Amino acid sequence: MSEREAFVSRFGGVFEHSPWVAERAYDRAASAGLTAGNIHSALCCAFRAASPAERRAVLKAHPDLAGKLAIAGKLTADSRAEQASAGLDRLSPEEHQRFTALNAAYTKKFGFPFIIAVKGLTKDDILAAFERRIDNSAEEEFETACAQVEQIARLRLRSMLPGDEDV
């Protein structure tokens, strides 16, 4: 396996189901040094340089919060752990119904699922953000969701590379 293939294999899931981000980031990351900060910077540069349609595809690759994939146990390991850390795997029936309604309204309005870096947030924090952000314009929410994807990537890299504090 080449160094590029090893890099993509290791970091290809940092941006949900989008190994092309790692593929495009490899040269920049390798030349800057393979630290968590450099990897994150390279991944984010590759993501930002992508077309709006490619970035939208990354957004669409994210699961609904507390949605059907979570119920069916079909989330990626990262997404499952992230949602569980916020208590989204332990919702009451009423809370689950609220998340389901918000997920549907948000996806209908924006064309991609609600994305938020849930680490350190409670389900109430997430619901408040959901209710606040659903009133955003399409352009504003696209940029907000992209920024959240980058924050999720930062958190995933911290988990993958503990002790590398430059992320």
Side-chain angles (χ1 to χ4, degrees):
M1 180 181 296
S2 72
E3 288 182 21
R4 176 183 297 275
E5 290 168 332
F7 180 87
V8 172
S9 176
R10 183 163 186 200
F11 300 110
V14 171
F15 278 71
E16 193 90 7
H17 298 295
S18 303
W20 63 264
V21 177
E23 175 66 35
R24 293 181 190 176
Y26 174 76
D27 290 333
R28 181 184 182 107
S31 67
L34 295 178
T35 66
N38 290 342
I39 294 167
H40 184 257
S41 177
L43 291 169
C44 289
C45 284
F47 178 63
R48 285 186 220 120
S51 71
E54 288 172 315
R55 289 191 295 154
R56 182 172 293 280
V58 172
L59 301 181
K60 287 180 167 186
H62 280 261
D64 287 340
L65 293 176
K68 292 178 280 189
L69 290 177
I71 292 167
K74 294 187 177 182
L75 294 175
T76 65
D78 286 329
S79 290
R80 183 174 42 257
E82 290 157 3
Q83 290 197 27
S85 76
L88 299 183
D89 60 339
R90 299 177 301 280
L91 297 176
S92 71
E94 296 79 17
E95 291 167 331
H96 188 268
Q97 184 177 31
R98 184 70 184 134
F99 269 94
T100 300
L102 284 167
N103 278 325
Y106 183 97
T107 301
K108 181 177 181 182
K109 181 174 181 178
F110 298 112
F112 53 84
F114 179 75
I115 300 168
I116 189 167
V118 299
K119 187 170 177 85
L121 300 179
T122 67
K123 59 188 171 189
D124 293 329
D125 297 330
I126 296 164
L127 278 171
F130 223 142
E131 291 171 346
R132 184 176 57 253
R133 286 174 46 192
I134 203 159
D135 291 328
N136 285 347
S137 69
E139 297 79 20
E140 184 178 24
E141 192 53 26
F142 181 77
E143 291 306 318
T144 300
C146 287
Q148 287 296 307
V149 164
E150 291 178 358
Q151 177 62 18
I152 291 165
R154 176 185 308 280
L155 294 168
R156 288 178 177 179
L157 284 167
R158 279 187 181 156
S159 175
M160 293 171 77
L161 303 167
D164 195 347
E165 298 300 324
D166 68 341
V167 179

